[in-house]
Amino acid sequence: MDLLQPVIKPYAWGSHEALARLQGRRTPSAGPEAELWMGAHPSGPAGMTRGGRELTLLDAVSDGPERELGAACARRFGGRLPFLLKVLAAEQPLSIQVHPDREQARSAFAAQQADGRHGPYVDGWPKPELLCALSRFEVLAGFRDREEAVRVLEDLEVGRLRPVVALLQAGAGDRVLTDALRAVLEWPSDDRAALVRGVVESCRRRARSDGPHAEAYAAVERMSRHHPGDLGLVASLLLNHRVLEPGAALFMPAGGLHAYVRGVGLELLANSDNVLRAGLTAKEVNVPELLRITDPAVRVPEVTPTGVPGPGSTQLYDCPVEEFSLHRTRLDGSGGPLVPSAGPRIAFCTDGSVRLRAGRTDHLRLGPGDSCFLSASDDGVLVEGEGTLFVAAAGLSPAERGPLV
């Protein structure tokens, strides 16, 4: 068992309070702190000390993939830790984005490397995601139904939106939603400022009503303070607006369009950093590629945790992917074998104090904001204490999971 030193990503949309408070550091932080990375991705591998030597989790896995991951996991994922665990602390909205599936990522990344050119793909891996709210977390996730999208846009009474409304009304099936998104994101450059200004002004008025979409309109008004003039403000109205309560979770499959608006959450994803962006960001956008891989039929479902055998109250957030799984254990002074019990795992404590024990001499205590890596050779681990522990691990293979119903 190895205590981890996570990497903090200082993106501009991050909080000056949340991560520092979670880790017991002085607040406010000197700059924005957006993400806490606990994993082995080359862009931000967590640090660790083993045998008196400073190294990263990526170093450890690369030096002994079968020892750290187990033979089966190492074969299945090419010697790569298949998941990445993060804490997101969004004080400002993140970009409207989408992630590729395995074949899209593999082929696009290979094409970039063959041509020797810069591109939006940083690796050949997919990036499905699970977001579990640690605070109230506001998100835009998945396309609205076509009829509801029409109502949301019509209620604004913005004349410039009539072509988009007409496109939605005349179309059929899910593909028309992508057509509407394309129409917004490819709006004539000489008219973009007027379109966004009209939509934001109308959203400001509608947000003060008691209508069914007042919260979505209010979100546009708030986001406009950080991204004035951005076409993503208009595009956001095509997406479902949701507010997750602590403990609630969403699964973002490949091709599912989404954006995080504000809040603190635990994110578990495949070990990739492939992101295609369309707006609400100062980073590079790639509208053609985002439109190519966006799948309007993809829904972004809420994941209800289910109870499983384990110490205290142990629950599984089940997602239909092989790269990751997430368990949450709430301890009230009780203890027992850690779940899951095998394979590479990263354990993260969000509150209280928990102790992990492996054998007679290997003990590790985790408090709020602490995390550790458990290799495949760390078996028979016991956990006890009072607090909440999340454990990320590899998911089931397609053969183990069986056909999805």
Side-chain angles (χ1 to χ4, degrees):
M1 299 187 292
D2 301 280
L3 191 67
L4 293 178
Q5 295 102 46
V7 173
I8 293 175
K9 296 289 186 176
Y11 305 140
W13 49 263
S15 169
H16 290 73
E17 301 280 343
L19 295 184
R21 190 165 53 245
L22 176 65
Q23 294 186 307
R25 294 184 279 112
R26 180 179 298 178
T27 60
S29 57
E33 297 179 338
E35 298 183 351
L36 195 69
W37 283 31
M38 297 163 281
H41 192 275
S43 296
M48 55 195 290
T49 302
R50 181 181 285 181
R53 183 169 73 97
E54 300 288 331
L55 69 162
T56 69
L57 182 53
L58 178 60
D59 295 331
V61 172
S62 300
D63 290 347
E66 289 198 5
R67 178 187 67 245
E68 306 298 332
L69 307 180
C73 184
R75 283 195 305 271
R76 185 158 40 127
F77 297 108
R80 185 184 181 109
L81 182 69
F83 56 87
L84 172 61
L85 186 64
K86 301 179 181 180
V87 178
L88 303 186
E91 197 166 278
Q92 300 178 18
L94 282 68
S95 58
I96 294 178
Q97 59 188 258
V98 72
H99 307 299
D101 64 23
R102 184 171 294 278
E103 182 51 40
Q104 289 167 336
R106 183 184 291 122
S107 60
F109 184 60
Q112 281 180 196
Q113 290 184 308
D115 293 345
R117 57 184 171 86
H118 168 76
Y121 293 89
V122 299
D123 53 54
W125 270 50
K127 195 186 176 190
E129 298 175 348
L130 173 71
L131 175 73
C132 180
L134 298 180
S135 73
R136 296 189 85 233
F137 205 111
E138 186 176 9
V139 300
L140 302 167
F143 280 106
R144 297 180 185 275
D145 292 337
R146 182 174 63 89
E147 295 81 3
E148 185 182 12
V150 167
R151 289 193 294 272
V152 169
L153 297 185
E154 278 190 323
D155 287 351
L156 289 176
E157 298 180 338
V158 174
R160 283 182 166 84
L161 285 176
R162 287 174 190 155
V164 183
V165 171
L167 183 65
L168 289 167
Q169 290 174 325
D174 293 317
R175 183 54 55 184
V176 71
L177 294 164
T178 308
D179 295 338
L181 178 65
R182 182 188 305 276
V184 170
L185 296 178
E186 295 180 351
W187 202 264
S189 58
D190 60 353
D191 194 48
R192 290 181 180 181
L195 171 68
V196 176
R197 184 170 57 250
V199 168
V200 171
E201 289 175 355
S202 184
C203 283
R204 184 176 294 114
R205 293 192 300 271
R206 299 291 179 180
R208 287 148 180 76
S209 71
D210 58 356
H213 306 297
E215 287 190 2
Y217 297 144
V220 171
E221 180 188 5
R222 287 195 309 274
M223 291 188 295
S224 71
R225 301 168 195 164
H226 305 289
H227 300 285
D230 196 311
L231 284 173
L233 298 167
V234 184
S236 72
L237 292 167
L238 297 172
L239 302 180
N240 290 306
H241 175 269
R242 308 183 191 183
V243 178
L244 304 178
E245 297 298 328
L250 287 180
F251 172 58
M252 263 66 71
L257 198 64
H258 62 280
Y260 300 142
V261 180
R262 59 179 178 176
V264 181
L266 193 69
E267 186 182 43
L268 180 57
L269 56 149
N271 191 10
S272 170
D273 202 24
N274 280 323
V275 184
L276 284 304
R277 302 178 181 89
L280 303 181
T281 182
K283 295 183 179 181
E284 181 179 352
V285 300
N286 191 322
V287 170
E289 185 66 6
L290 176 136
L291 291 170
R292 185 182 77 84
I293 69 170
T294 294
D295 184 349
V298 167
R299 299 297 177 248
V300 180
E302 186 162 340
V303 180
T304 302
T306 56
V308 295
S313 172
T314 297
Q315 295 177 305
L316 166 67
Y317 291 86
D318 191 27
C319 296
V321 294
E322 61 176 315
E323 291 85 4
F324 62 76
S325 66
L326 182 68
H327 288 77
R328 178 182 64 187
T329 295
R330 299 183 189 273
L331 297 169
D332 57 0
S334 57
L338 182 70
V339 176
S341 60
R345 292 144 289 168
I346 292 177
F348 175 69
C349 179
T350 56
D351 62 79
S353 176
V354 300
R355 187 170 68 157
L356 303 174
R357 294 190 292 117
R360 293 185 177 180
T361 59
D362 197 359
H363 294 191
L364 197 60
R365 185 175 295 278
L366 302 181
D370 291 338
S371 58
C372 70
F373 173 69
L374 298 99
S375 73
S377 60
D378 289 316
D379 55 6
V381 176
L382 302 177
V383 61
E384 61 188 8
E386 296 185 8
T388 303
L389 190 71
F390 286 88
V391 183
L396 297 176
S397 70
E400 292 169 321
R401 178 176 290 277
L404 297 177
V405 179

